[in-house]
Amino acid sequence: MPEFRSKDPLHGVTLERILVELVEFYGWEELARRVNVRVFQHDPTVPSGLKFLRKTPWAREKVEQLYRHMLREHPR
């Protein structure tokens, strides 16, 4: 029986991995420009970003959209 693979690029990807990959690809400055939140602009860290994104659904959605865009434009 063939293995089921989700077409959702976020399936099985942790929020931490999303954030780390975005920072590696764009850098904090460009990420802050694309997702305009203070936590990405002033002394950004992955732990502080994760804390904010976990309690702020609209920001998490923007980060997830940017991740999908990054994967479409620059497939691995």
Side-chain angles (χ1 to χ4, degrees), residues 24-36:
E24 286 175 355
F25 187 79
Y26 291 110
W28 284 112
E29 189 174 321
E30 181 64 16
L31 182 58
R33 192 183 71 71
R34 291 173 179 257
V35 182
N36 187 15

Side-chain angles (χ1 to χ4, degrees), residues 24-54:
E24 286 175 355
F25 187 79
Y26 291 110
W28 284 112
E29 189 174 321
E30 181 64 16
L31 182 58
R33 192 183 71 71
R34 291 173 179 257
V35 182
N36 187 15
V37 293
R38 183 174 172 81
V39 73
F40 293 164
Q41 298 167 353
H42 302 285
D43 298 322
T45 65
V46 171
S48 65
L50 289 172
K51 184 176 179 181
F52 178 78
L53 293 172
R54 287 184 177 127

